[in-house]
Amino acid sequence: MTGTLRSSTHPPLPPTTEADRFNRLRLLRSRRVGVATFHRLIAEHGSAAVALEALPEVARAAGVTDYAICPEGVIHAELKAARAVKARMLCLGDQDYPASLATLDDAPPILWAVGDTSILTRPMVALVGARNASSLGTRMARKLAADLSAAGYVIVSGLARGVDAAAYHAAIEVGTVAVLGGGVDVIYPNENAELFHAIGAKGLRLSEQPIGLQPQARHFPARNRIISGLSRAVVVVEAAAKSGSLITAENALAQGREVFAVPGHPFDGRAGGCNALIRDGATLIRGAEDVIAGLMPLVDEAPELPLAPILQPQRSFEDNKELNKQILSRLGPSPIAEDQLIRDMKSAPNLIAPVLIALELDGAIQRHVGGLVSRL
C-alpha cells in the first residue's frame, strides 16, 4: 500500500541565527500556537521575530484580550535544560534537519536531538506494533530489525514496550532512531531506561516536545507522524483493530510512504489491525526481503521549486465575523480535512487561513495531525 507523495508547502527558510532560533522556539511555545499556526505565521510575516510582534494583535483580533506571548525566561530555561542533557536543536531549514520531514505540511518546526544526527541522512524504515506483543510478534520484530539493519536501513520506532523494544534490541549496534512522546530527556516507560540511554549513545533520540516534559496521551498521535515521516516505509508487526500503530500507518499513507504488515491468526486480537491493513491494500510481508523488494528501486523525487511568499490581506475581526460563523457552522467535533473545508467554503485559501489562525488562538477550533481541523 502506497500513499501519494506531496511537495512541501513551506516557503524556503534562510539559515538560522541564534536570535532566530530563540524566537522560533518562543513562538512555538506561545499559548495556542501549534505546528500549523506556527507555519502560517511564518508564511505571513516572514520571520519568527515579526510573527511574535504581530501575535498579540492577531489574538486581539480573534477576541482574546489577555493574550501574552511566551516569556523569554521560559525559553532561556529550556535552552539551559537542553545544554544540560546535551540536546541539539534542529530547526526546519537547517542543513541537518531530516529532509524527509521537511516536505510535510505539518513538519515539526523544531526538534530536540540527543545522539548522532548523521543517522538522519541514512534510509530509514519504521517498525511498530503492539505493546503487549506475543512471543511470535517479538521474535518477528527482532528478525525484521536485524535483517533490515544488515541491509543498510536505520530502524525508527517509538521506544514503547513490546514490538518497539524488541526491534531496538536487535538493531541498536547498527544505529536506531527513537522518537519520543515526551521530552527528549524523559525516560518512558521506565522499563526501557537501559535502551533509552543506549540509543542516545549509539543512535539518536528525537522529540518535538519541550525538554523535561512528561508524555501525555495526546502527544503520541503527533509523535507517530514523525515516526512515519522520517521513514521510507512503515512495517506493522502486531496491532489491534484500534491502536497507535494504525495511526502511524495512516500517517504513512497520507505522507506517501509504503505500508507493510505482518499477517496474523484471525482469532488473535493483536493481529486484527495488521489483517485489516492487508485487506485494505497494505503489502503482506513474510520477512525483511519482502520489505526490501517493496522499496526497490528507490526513485528520486523531482526537485522542488521555490515557493513565492503568500501575502495575506489585512482584515479586521468585524470584517471576518461572517466568515467565522460560516466556518464554525461547517465544523463539528469530528475532524475534517482543512483542504476540504476550504473547498466547501468556495473561498480562496489565503482568506480562510488567517481566520483559522484567529479561531485557533481564540480556542474555538482545534487542529489535528494530518491537516485535520475540528470545532471545540
Side-chain angles (χ1 to χ4, degrees):
M1 184 191 294
T2 311
T4 303
L5 286 169
R6 298 191 300 176
S7 298
S8 171
T9 58
H10 309 304
L13 296 171
T16 54
T17 63
E18 286 306 310
D20 188 42
R21 296 163 83 81
F22 184 94
N23 288 331
R24 289 195 199 184
L25 186 59
R26 190 181 183 195
L27 178 62
L28 188 61
R29 298 294 186 247
S30 291
R31 184 162 55 105
R32 293 180 179 171
V33 176
V35 170
T37 299
F38 177 96
H39 289 312
R40 290 191 185 280
L41 289 170
I42 293 294
E44 291 171 15
H45 300 286
S47 73
V50 178
L52 282 168
E53 291 179 3
L55 191 53
E57 180 55 39
V58 172
R60 274 193 294 273
V64 182
T65 57
D66 60 344
Y67 190 86
I69 61 179
C70 180
E72 289 189 357
V74 172
I75 304 306
H76 284 301
E78 184 171 352
L79 293 173
K80 181 179 179 180
R83 290 192 294 271
V85 297
K86 296 181 171 56
R88 290 182 56 196
M89 183 193 294
L90 306 182
C91 290
L92 180 63
D94 286 350
Q95 188 172 2
D96 49 2
Y97 186 94
S100 56
L101 279 186
T103 64
L104 304 184
D105 290 346
D106 53 359
I110 291 171
L111 289 167
W112 286 114
V114 173
D116 181 8
T117 56
S118 69
I119 287 176
L120 296 172
T121 63
R122 293 162 54 187
M124 289 177 259
V125 170
L127 211 161
V128 298
R131 288 177 172 82
N132 63 332
S134 66
S135 176
L136 283 175
T138 53
R139 282 171 55 191
M140 185 64 172
R142 286 194 295 268
K143 178 65 172 170
L144 283 168
D147 291 348
L148 287 168
S149 294
Y153 289 95
V154 171
I155 299 300
V156 182
S157 201
L159 200 55
R161 59 175 63 92
V163 165
D164 293 20
Y168 285 129
H169 279 298
I172 196 164
E173 296 299 329
V174 186
T176 55
V177 176
V179 186
L180 308 182
V184 75
D185 58 326
V186 176
I187 301 171
Y188 182 84
N190 287 331
E191 66 196 66
N192 284 343
E194 186 177 343
L195 270 176
F196 175 93
H197 293 298
I199 292 170
K202 301 177 181 180
L204 184 66
R205 300 196 310 262
L206 285 178
S207 177
E208 66 177 334
Q209 301 297 342
I211 301 293
L213 182 73
Q214 292 293 325
Q216 300 175 27
R218 62 187 175 86
H219 297 146
F220 291 102
R223 182 277 307 269
N224 292 347
R225 89 187 190 286
I226 301 176
I227 293 175
S228 56
L230 286 168
S231 309
R232 296 184 176 180
V234 169
V235 180
V236 186
V237 177
E238 280 185 341
K242 294 182 179 180
S243 68
S245 298
L246 296 193
I247 295 175
T248 308
E250 291 168 3
N251 288 335
L253 289 175
Q255 295 163 347
R257 278 45 170 173
E258 296 279 353
V259 176
F260 301 97
V262 177
H265 196 284
F267 287 171
D268 188 346
R270 289 167 293 200
C274 288
N275 292 342
L277 285 172
I278 294 167
R279 178 199 62 199
D280 294 339
T283 302
L284 183 154
I285 62 163
R286 302 155 297 173
E289 63 277 6
D290 290 335
V291 178
I292 296 167
L295 290 176
M296 296 294 289
L298 296 173
V299 180
D300 292 334
E301 296 178 22
E304 297 179 18
L305 297 176
L307 299 176
I310 302 172
L311 299 177
Q312 303 289 353
Q314 297 298 313
R315 299 165 64 94
S316 70
F317 182 65
E318 288 298 323
D319 292 335
N320 285 328
K321 222 171 189 179
E322 184 60 31
L323 196 51
N324 289 351
K325 290 170 60 177
Q326 292 177 25
I327 290 173
L328 291 175
S329 70
R330 292 177 181 272
L331 292 175
S334 298
I336 67 169
E338 186 177 322
D339 292 346
Q340 182 62 51
L341 173 66
I342 292 172
R343 287 195 294 271
D344 291 345
M345 295 289 298
K346 296 182 173 60
S347 184
N350 64 330
L351 294 179
I352 299 293
V355 181
L356 288 175
I357 291 177
L359 288 172
E360 184 178 17
L361 290 172
D362 191 34
I365 67 171
Q366 180 179 4
R367 295 185 187 275
H368 304 268
V369 173
L372 302 179
V373 63
S374 66
R375 182 171 178 171
L376 288 174

